């Protein structure tokens, strides 16, 4: 279900308490009715907590057993339905283009008689549409009319109806000019996919400011083109400039638009400059104002509006969170103004039945409750309950000091030499040895591959012989390294590190390639091993990530991946939409057919596009089908040879279709790519700000806690959990409502000291607990820096 713009809370004191089958259980007496009411309140409260966690307002399932069953079916089918929706969109890439169908219907030879266009379009389209309509039916059975309360839900249903109507029209009429299917499919994806329509909302909020600066830019280009037409008129000495670039106002504007991309610079400047040096002042002032200031002003405005939109979205989500949490507390409150520990544990159990939130193990639930119960009285007040979503953003992993090898072979683990061996494997000396071996292997590999690199290194044959003998030895060494670390530290502790994942993948691939290469009759391409050797050489540069400069770059790049993936999906929607429109406009007009009526137009009007040599022409860059169209749009994103590509399509249609390419340039390059610049700047600023706070430490008035700490589970913020052992708490990044990880951890583990409503005695206890946490952190260490902790074994007991 999508977010609802409207909708309000439900008052448990005024709504009908029991509906459907729950009403039948009320006949058994007041006790049964009270249990039904409590159970219903638990269901409703967990739904509101889930909505609060994501900062949304959604319809809830009907209060019947059948509706709840259908809701579980819908929840389990959510992943397959997303895959079906993507499949329905990607089906467009394999369908026969409409211009081919029109040509065949008009009695011409089928220009698309190619096996790459399948003949099962109708069956595939019916299958995907049936799945999507079935999903809508399941949601209606679960939510009733609430399935259509949101605007996006109604839009999704309307688009499905339009897709069905388009399908009937396309296959039941004898002649078809065009189809709406590609546009409806991408609209369905944009409406249903949360990340895509979330990013589209950000872009929609930016559009007013972006439109204003774009209109100002267009007016500026218009005025400068008018001046150009006057300055470079045929009466002047620079008549060639007039004939080529400023024959009229429209062509002059197009020339200047292309010049802002610097794609035709200095080609268009040279005729006028060769004739009169003073003409350079015209181009210099234009480039200074338009390229250096105007385009950068667009970037600045997009960055400002991006931050403003993100703040507004965060405030909106926080308001929804507060509203949902208050409503959830009303359903859980039995009139005493508090929620008991047992009731809170039941809420955590109920949250495990949803598929959108991670599973909460029993011990983790106790830690979560302890973090929420700030005053440590074993119950949660409404003020404390408002922090439950903050606490749910923390993940707990039990840190065990017993290795799997120690548990299975305790007698061997007690041996002194074995314990020294474990310390050696986890120590810096062993890592330095491995890095040295990797570095030597990389040097030998580079020297061995000197010929492809263009270097003249003698005796490469001897190097090949040495490498051939050394490769099995190195493979054995790295396999032994992986086995030793897994046996000593345990699989989970080994696999949770990204560097270990990469090392194991490369080692396994290299060994597998070696085995396959030496098996008689198997795949005999020796380059397979060289590919994995090249990946292994990358292991030698992994220590660069620990350097200060490289660490900032690697950390920023890692955090960029999440926002970048969302923006790439929006860019896919944009490229898909323009490609589908391009197929309708330009489909079949650009090809190598010597009998094509457009061949002469291309050669006369776009000589750069239709190069005399087939090796250098741009004829494969066309809109004859969706895959070719998407490749063309990607090339236009790069901007290089942008004007040459546009000239070919304009030559076979009309100069007015330049608007198509200018619109894509503004939306794809200036808007989307500047959005990417905006969140990269934000993430880099956040990283350096956090680095400064960590450097300043408590002296700057902040707490010393980070986004990950190790603590004793017996007592959290003064609340006795009944648990033993050591746990690691991690504030998860990329949460629906972004929060500073350090502030979040400070509120949880130093919450008693900072809780305004707590008594002085409770504050003293909280400060003591915080000091214990920090002391324990210093004595044990965290996963970020284990210099003081040679061996730590971890096991996550979450199923």
């Amino acid at each position: 279900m999508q977010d609802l713009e409207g909708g309000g809370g439900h008052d448990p004191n005024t709504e009908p308490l029991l509906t459907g089958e729950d009403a039948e259980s009320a006949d058994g007496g007041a006790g049964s009715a009270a249990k039904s009411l409590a159970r219903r309140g638990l269901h409703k409260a967990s739904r509101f907590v889930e909505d609060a966690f994501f900062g949304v307002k959604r319809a809830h399932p009907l209060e019947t057993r059948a509706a709840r069953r259908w809701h579980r079916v819908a929840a389990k089918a959510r992943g397959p339905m997303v895959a079906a929706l993507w499949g329905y969109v990607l089906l467009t890439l394999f369908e026969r283009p409409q211009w081919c169908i029109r040509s065949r219907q008009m009695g011409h030879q089928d220009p698309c008689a190619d096996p790459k266009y399948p003949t099962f379009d109708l069956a595939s389209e019916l299958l995907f549409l049936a799945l999507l309509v079935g999903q809508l039916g399941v949601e209606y059975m679960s939510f009733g009319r609430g399935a259509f309360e949101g605007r996006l839900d109604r839009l999704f249903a309307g688009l499905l109806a339009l897709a069905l109507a388009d399908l009937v029209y396309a296959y039941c009429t004898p002649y078809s000019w065009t189809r709406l299917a590609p546009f409806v499919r991408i609209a369905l994806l944009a409406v249903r996919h949360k990340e895509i329509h979330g990013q589209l909302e950000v872009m929609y909020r930016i559009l007013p400011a972006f439109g204003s600066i774009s209109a100002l830019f267009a007016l500026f280009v218009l005025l400068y083109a008018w001046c150009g037409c006057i300055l470079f008129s045929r009466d002047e000495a620079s008549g060639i400039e007039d004939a080529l670039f400023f024959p009229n106002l429209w062509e002059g504007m197009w020339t200047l638009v292309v010049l802002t991309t610097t794609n035709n610079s200095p080609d268009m400047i040279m005729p006028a400059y060769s004739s009169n040096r003073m003409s350079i002042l015209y181009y210099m002032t234009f480039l200074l104002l338009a390229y250096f200031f105007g385009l950068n002003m667009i970037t600045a405005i997009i960055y400002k509006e991006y931050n403003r939109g993100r703040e507004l979205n965060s405030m909106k989500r926080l308001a929804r969170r507060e509203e949902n949490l208050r409503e959830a507390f009303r359903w859980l409150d039995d009139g005493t103004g508090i929620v008991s520990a047992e009731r809170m544990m039941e809420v955590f159990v109920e949250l495990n039945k949803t598929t959108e939130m991670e599973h909460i193990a029993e011990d983790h639930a106790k830690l979560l409750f302890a973090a929420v119960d700030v005053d440590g009285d074993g119950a949660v007040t409404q003020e404390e309950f408002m922090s439950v979503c903050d606490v749910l953003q923390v993940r707990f992993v039990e840190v065990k000091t017993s290795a799997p090898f120690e548990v299975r072979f305790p007698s061997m683990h007690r041996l002194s030499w074995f314990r020294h061996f474990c310390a050696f494997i986890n120590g810096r000396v062993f890592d330095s040895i491995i890095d040295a071996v990797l570095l030597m292997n990389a040097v030998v590999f580079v020297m061995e591959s000197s010929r492809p690199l263009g270097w003249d290194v003698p005796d490469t044959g001897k190097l090949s012989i040495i490498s051939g003998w050394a490769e099995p030895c190195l493979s054995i060494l790295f396999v032994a390294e992986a086995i030793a670390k897994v046996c000593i530290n345990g699989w989970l502790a080994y696999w949770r590190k990204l560097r270990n994942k990469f090392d194991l993948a490369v080692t396994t691939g290299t060994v597998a390639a070696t085995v396959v290469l030496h098996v008689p009759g198997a795949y005999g391409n020796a380059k397979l091993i060289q590919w994995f050797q090249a990946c292994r050489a990358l292991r030698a540069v992994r220590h660069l990530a620990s350097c200060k400069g490289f660490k900032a770059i690697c950390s920023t790049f890692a955090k960029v991946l999440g926002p970048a993936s969302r923006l790439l999906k929006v860019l896919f929607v944009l490229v898909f939409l323009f490609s589908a429109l391009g197929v309708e406009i330009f489909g079949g007009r650009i090809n190598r057919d010597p009998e094509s009526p457009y061949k002469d137009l291309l050669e006369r009007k776009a000589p750069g596009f239709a190069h005399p040599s087939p090796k250098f022409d741009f004829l494969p860059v066309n809109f004859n089908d969706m895959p070719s169209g998407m490749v063309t749009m990607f090339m236009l994103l790069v901007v290089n040879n942008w004007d040459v590509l546009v000239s070919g399509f304009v030559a076979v249609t009309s100069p007015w279709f330049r608007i198509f390419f200018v619109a894509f340039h503004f939306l794809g390059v200036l808007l989307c790519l500047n959005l990417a610049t905006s969140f990269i700047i934000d993430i880099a600023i956040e990283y350096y700000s956090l680095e400064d706070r960590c450097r300043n430490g408590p002296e700057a008035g902040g707490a010393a806690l980070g986004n990950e700490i190790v603590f004793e589970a017996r007592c959290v913020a003064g609340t006795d959990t009944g648990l033993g052992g050591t746990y690691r708490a991690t504030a998860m990044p990329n949460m629906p409502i972004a929060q500073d990880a350090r502030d979040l951890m400070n509120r949880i583990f130093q919450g008693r000291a900072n809780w305004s409503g707590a008594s002085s005695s409770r504050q003293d206890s909280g400060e003591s607990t915080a000091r214990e946490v920090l002391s324990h952190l210093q004595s044990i260490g965290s996963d970020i820096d284990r210099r003081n902790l040679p061996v730590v074994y971890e096991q996550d007991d979450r199923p």
Side-chain angles (χ1 to χ4, degrees), residues 620-677:
V621 183
N622 54 58
F623 286 95
N624 291 342
D625 56 16
M626 280 294 295
S628 298
M630 297 187 73
V631 171
T632 301
M633 301 315 296
F634 176 78
M635 291 183 177
L636 291 173
L637 277 176
V638 182
V639 182
N640 193 30
N641 282 322
W642 185 71
D643 58 325
V644 179
L645 292 175
V646 175
S647 67
F649 298 105
V650 170
V652 297
T653 51
S654 167
W656 286 101
F657 284 109
R658 288 170 176 165
I659 298 175
F660 172 87
F661 299 98
V662 172
F664 179 77
H665 181 78
F666 268 71
L667 293 176
V669 178
L670 297 183
L671 182 56
C672 285
L673 297 188
N674 278 321
L675 273 176
T677 303

Side-chain angles (χ1 to χ4, degrees), residues 591-600 603:
N591 51 59
R592 299 190 184 279
D593 184 6
E595 303 298 328
S596 172
Y598 305 105
K599 184 175 183 297
D600 182 61
E603 292 177 349

Side-chain angles (χ1 to χ4, degrees), residues 232 241 246 268-269 279-287:
F232 304 115
E241 188 81 2
F246 290 94
M268 66 162 293
I269 302 176
S279 62
I280 196 64
L281 296 176
Y282 172 83
Y283 294 106
M284 287 178 62
T285 55
F286 176 79
L287 288 175

Side-chain angles (χ1 to χ4, degrees), residues 364 397-400 402 404 492-493 793-798:
H364 298 178
V397 178
E398 185 176 3
V399 180
K400 297 191 175 182
S402 297
L492 291 176
Y793 309 99
E794 300 173 1
Q795 180 177 350
D796 188 355
D797 58 355
R798 188 185 67 202

